[in-house]
Amino acid sequence: MFNYGVTRAQVTRMHPDSFDQRHYAFIVAFVVLMSLYALALLEHPLPVAVPWELPAALNVAYFGVLGLAGLLVGIQTRSLKQGLYAPVVLFIQHFGYSLGLLVGLLRRP
């Protein structure tokens, strides 16, 4: 998935018309989430206070969706083992693809 992300960035660079915003959704989500954590953990007062519960709730929601996906996989395959592995595999796929996409975008052509 990491290599797929790197390649996706290269293809977008070579063929800008192939750009699809869905390919970058996880990068945007990651940046927003990390920004919310940073704002929540700052000790100096800001004009807008961000409670730490907000990014934590977004994380819980994401992992909840992965858990539901695992439940669905387990029901469809009738396999507890696959149902338990599915959320882990989905997280690794999302993380690897997003990291590869970032690396691909940051590399010089």
Side-chain angles (χ1 to χ4, degrees), residues 40-56:
L41 296 175
L42 286 175
E43 295 186 16
H44 57 80
L46 294 172
V48 177
V50 176
W52 67 269
E53 291 91 351
L54 177 62

Side-chain angles (χ1 to χ4, degrees), residues 27-39 54-59 62:
I27 291 175
V28 172
F30 178 76
V31 169
V32 168
L33 190 62
M34 290 302 111
S35 299
L36 287 173
Y37 271 119
L39 290 172
L54 177 62
L58 291 173
N59 269 340
Y62 172 69

Side-chain angles (χ1 to χ4, degrees), residues 39-107:
L39 290 172
L41 296 175
L42 286 175
E43 295 186 16
H44 57 80
L46 294 172
V48 177
V50 176
W52 67 269
E53 291 91 351
L54 177 62
L58 291 173
N59 269 340
V60 168
Y62 172 69
F63 285 107
V65 169
L66 290 183
L68 289 174
L71 181 64
L72 184 62
V73 167
I75 290 170
Q76 289 176 342
T77 61
R78 299 176 191 227
S79 169
L80 176 64
K81 185 178 178 181
Q82 287 185 6
L84 292 174
Y85 284 147
V88 175
V89 170
L90 286 171
F91 173 75
I92 291 169
Q93 285 180 333
H94 292 161
F95 186 77
Y97 175 78
S98 298
L99 189 61
L101 193 58
L102 273 175
V103 168
L105 290 172
L106 296 175
R107 278 188 187 163

